[in-house]
Amino acid sequence: MTTTVFEVGKVNALKPLEGKVAIVTGASRGIGAEIAKVLARNGATVVGTYHNSPKHIQDVAKTIEEEGGKFHALHVDVSVYEDAERLALEVIENFGKIDILINNAGITKDRTFRKMTKEEWDTVINVNLNGVFNTTKAVIEHMLAQNYGRIVSISSIVGQAGAFGQTNYAATKAGILGFTKSLALETASKGITVNAVCPGYIGTEMVAAMPEEVLNNIVSKVPMKRLGEPGEVAQAVLYLIQADYVTGQVIAVNGGLYM
């Protein structure tokens, strides 16, 4: 009888992302902060961007560094194309490459469409959707040149099912799904995978700020009868980063609320 031996090669089973350089936008709190921590724990050098939360990004950096991980914070406004270009240039200058891009930065300005202002529409579009274009555009040539890249964008259940008072937010998150599938087709033969994750209602500060009766109503409709955890979204992102034969896909992390 012969025994087949599978070579792991240079991959560290305990830290499978060792040697990889990852950008996580909007890494100062919530889902973005947890993604940054999970990638660092798995060996990646993580560059996390922040816009309005210097104290929170310092807390993320402290946690990662105390765990022995590598983290670098950069102040970036993803809605500004030149800022996204600067981000990519600084990461390459400091770390030599970009392997992973997690498009997580996002905001909400909720209001019924009848009352929504042009400014509220434009601001959400510029951060949530144009921001994904800006950061992806800034890194894509580098990824193509190295014949490797992992791009994961954080969409939302709202982009799939809609939500009252969130036409601007829903439009951006649905747009991310179309963007993901189209870019995946363009880059599938180039060693780059492009995927998205659609969180449901996750226990972040944003969700916790909802009125209690609204939050209770949401939880009552979730088949699993609870909010999700940021770490559960981060694990889906980690899977997509490591999955070589998965591209153009959307993973829903929503407790069964939308199927």
Side-chain angles (χ1 to χ4, degrees):
M1 185 176 80
T2 59
T3 302
T4 304
V5 178
F6 294 94
E7 295 258 348
V8 178
K10 295 182 179 180
V11 175
N12 183 338
L14 297 177
K15 292 186 179 294
L17 302 184
E18 194 167 46
K20 302 297 186 187
V21 177
I23 294 173
V24 180
T25 68
S28 61
R29 60 177 78 189
I31 290 171
E34 192 62 31
I35 292 171
K37 293 171 187 175
V38 167
L39 299 193
R41 287 176 193 136
N42 281 272
T45 296
V46 179
V47 177
T49 77
Y50 69 100
H51 188 215
N52 295 318
S53 306
K55 170 64 169 62
H56 291 95
I57 201 75
Q58 289 169 12
D59 292 341
V60 174
K62 182 180 179 183
T63 297
I64 290 174
E65 288 163 5
E66 286 177 348
E67 293 177 350
K70 300 173 184 177
F71 184 81
H72 181 71
L74 279 178
H75 181 269
V76 175
D77 182 348
V78 297
S79 71
V80 177
Y81 185 73
E82 292 75 15
D83 251 24
E85 287 188 312
R86 174 178 60 84
L87 166 65
L89 288 172
E90 287 196 30
V91 173
I92 293 170
E93 183 178 309
N94 287 315
F95 304 106
K97 61 176 182 169
I98 301 168
D99 299 299
I100 299 160
L101 171 64
I102 310 301
N103 287 311
N104 169 75
I107 61 170
T108 58
K109 287 188 177 294
D110 297 349
R111 197 181 297 274
T112 60
F113 186 74
R114 291 180 65 190
K115 296 180 179 179
M116 186 175 293
T117 65
K118 180 70 160 57
E119 181 184 6
E120 288 167 337
W121 174 269
D122 287 344
T123 301
V124 174
I125 295 291
N126 286 336
V127 174
N128 295 12
L129 188 55
N130 290 345
V132 170
F133 170 85
N134 292 340
T135 52
T136 307
K137 186 71 171 175
V139 307
I140 196 66
E141 291 297 334
H142 176 76
M143 288 183 173
L144 288 168
Q146 69 185 10
N147 205 41
Y148 179 89
R150 296 289 180 266
I151 299 170
V152 181
S153 299
I154 306 302
S155 179
S156 170
I157 189 174
V158 174
Q160 297 174 305
F164 187 91
Q166 290 193 304
T167 52
N168 50 2
Y169 186 77
T172 64
K173 294 305 184 177
I176 285 172
L177 300 182
F179 173 91
T180 294
K181 292 175 181 295
S182 297
L183 186 60
L185 285 172
E186 294 181 17
T187 59
S189 65
K190 309 296 184 181
I192 299 170
T193 65
V194 189
N195 294 288
V197 174
C198 281
Y201 291 91
I202 308 298
T204 63
E205 290 181 27
M206 184 185 297
V207 172
M210 291 179 173
E212 185 177 358
E213 63 274 15
V214 174
L215 197 54
N216 289 340
N217 184 50
I218 289 170
V219 171
S220 71
K221 294 177 181 177
V222 178
M224 289 188 176
K225 301 302 179 187
R226 67 174 177 87
L227 297 175
E229 297 291 335
E232 292 172 313
V233 180
Q235 287 300 318
V237 171
L238 181 63
Y239 163 73
L240 290 172
I241 290 170
Q242 297 181 83
D244 292 334
Y245 200 57
V246 177
T247 195
Q249 301 305 306
V250 179
I251 294 182
V253 184
N254 63 30
L257 182 58
Y258 180 84
M259 300 184 186

